[in-house]
Amino acid sequence: MAVAMGNAAELRAANIVRRAIQKLRLATPDNIDLLETEVFDAMEQQLEAMGSLHEKVQQEFEKALEVGRTHAANIQEKREKEAEMAKRPKELMEEIKAIMETIQPKLTNLKGAACLEDRTIQLQPEDAPAVLKLADEFSTEIKDFSQQCMTRGTEIKEAELPPQMKADWTKL
């Protein structure tokens, strides 16, 4: 009976450490250090209580540490790869946003000149030539804007985008 109680106590202590070890297997670059510390602390606290299971738990820890570090390294490598993949498309998307920001005030100006902003004001016949000139200039700028967006958009579409970048591209 005393042996069974002793084995149960050792098993409980070993399981406390094993819970920490299990978390370590799924470590990320963000939490690997914390999880390693948790396992070390749990092992230290349960060292005597684990008794004969200590060596087995130590081996489990060593395997889990290797798996956890590999897992964290793989995640870091994936993040770096995605960041590199996203670099050029992100630049292109920023360029498109900048172009859009230059077009927007010109569109607002044209709408104002054409009396489209305020429906209470009518376009006067003497203002029509100036509005037509603005519209022609804006038309040229819109064609240029469209071409620039198409060029950048094609390059973005041809790139292999990380998942979050795809969502950003869709919103743009």
Side-chain angles (χ1 to χ4, degrees):
M1 182 82 149
V3 173
M5 296 273 285
N7 286 343
E10 286 179 0
L11 190 57
R12 273 193 302 278
N15 285 340
I16 290 170
V17 176
R18 285 179 174 138
R19 278 189 221 104
I21 289 172
Q22 184 60 33
K23 291 178 191 176
L24 181 60
R25 286 186 175 102
L26 301 174
T28 67
D30 306 322
N31 67 6
I32 183 112
D33 294 332
L34 175 68
L35 295 175
E36 282 182 34
T37 302
E38 284 181 17
V39 174
F40 284 127
D41 290 347
M43 295 252 319
E44 186 178 314
Q45 291 170 1
Q46 303 300 324
L47 183 63
E48 289 181 28
M50 285 191 291
S52 64
L53 293 175
H54 176 264
E55 191 174 312
K56 184 176 182 189
V57 172
Q58 179 68 33
Q59 290 172 352
E60 291 173 17
F61 164 65
E62 289 169 6
K63 284 183 183 177
L65 184 58
E66 183 180 327
V67 169
R69 286 181 176 165
T70 301
H71 188 257
N74 289 343
I75 290 172
Q76 184 63 33
E77 184 179 317
K78 181 181 176 193
R79 286 178 183 173
E80 289 169 1
K81 181 181 175 188
E82 285 181 355
E84 186 60 36
M85 287 171 29
K87 189 176 181 180
R88 179 66 181 148
K90 191 172 190 173
E91 290 171 0
L92 293 168
M93 287 170 48
E94 291 303 319
E95 290 173 13
I96 290 171
K97 287 178 186 177
I99 295 168
M100 288 171 63
E101 288 173 4
T102 63
I103 288 292
Q104 193 60 44
K106 294 174 183 179
L107 177 60
T108 302
N109 184 37
L110 177 61
K111 284 181 176 180
C115 301
L116 298 175
E117 293 282 316
D118 185 353
R119 296 287 181 181
T120 62
I121 301 173
Q122 283 193 327
L123 179 64
Q124 299 301 312
E126 61 271 10
D127 295 333
V131 171
L132 182 59
K133 182 180 178 203
L134 271 175
D136 286 342
E137 291 170 1
F138 190 67
S139 171
T140 302
E141 289 185 42
I142 286 292
K143 287 176 187 172
D144 184 48
F145 165 77
S146 296
Q147 183 59 43
Q148 290 179 39
C149 287
M150 291 296 294
T151 301
R152 286 165 176 81
T154 300
E155 189 175 340
I156 291 170
K157 285 180 183 177
E158 290 173 356
E160 187 177 331
L161 300 176
Q164 181 56 45
M165 181 68 62
K166 287 180 184 178
D168 292 345
W169 170 240
T170 303
K171 289 178 190 175
L172 184 65

